[in-house]
Amino acid sequence: STAVYIQTHEKDSGKEMLCNLSGRPHLPIIERLPSCDDGSVYNWFKMPLYGKLTAKCGRAWSEFKHLRQLLRDAWEAERKNTGFKGTVVPYNVNERFVDMVQGTPGLAEKYGDSMESLAEWCATYGSSWLIEELQPRNCAVDAAGELVLLDPVFDLAEVRAEQDRRMKRARGY
């Protein structure tokens, strides 16, 4: 079978997190490859080449759209909870999302345990880790036509720090 090799910066622990969940339903089969001990700031991972998620994927596409809407609903509920003025806490969004998935017939049985495990690993890596990347480019289908969330998490604090670094460079700081 064809494999994909992925290189990530050491500050991006998303793939490492997924290694801890490898083989869970709807999450990728992924393994971390040995490093070269050359002082590199990059990590290498390997996973199977999955099929592209499109509207032609039927049930997987429908489930993807439903999960993405639940994630949007979780964000909206957390914004309302903060009065639209406070900072949204990724941990709270993750928990709301998991609760919504587990409370949705049809999705609860298929995705509930995996999403709960994903949220738990996000919390383990830090309160700024977020289940957020539910976009077609970050999802796929396996050989059985089931939805696979290839890259569903990121560190919001690191994203904000990178945005700050870019702004400073643009302003000549």
Side-chain angles (χ1 to χ4, degrees), residues 15 46 71 90 99 117 129-130 132 141 145-146:
K15 296 292 186 278
K46 177 183 173 185
L71 186 58
D99 289 346
S117 295
W129 277 90
L130 186 61
E132 173 60 19
V141 290
E146 293 291 337

Side-chain angles (χ1 to χ4, degrees), residues 17-18 20-25 27 91 94-95 97-99 101-102 111-125 129 131 152-153:
M17 185 186 306
L18 289 171
N20 293 303
L21 297 166
S22 182
R24 295 254 182 165
L27 296 173
Y91 175 85
N94 292 344
E95 290 299 307
F97 174 63
V98 169
D99 289 346
V101 170
Q102 290 179 334
Y111 295 90
D113 290 344
S114 291
M115 294 305 99
E116 183 174 27
S117 295
L118 190 58
E120 288 170 359
W121 274 101
C122 283
T124 298
Y125 275 73
W129 277 90
I131 301 171
V153 298

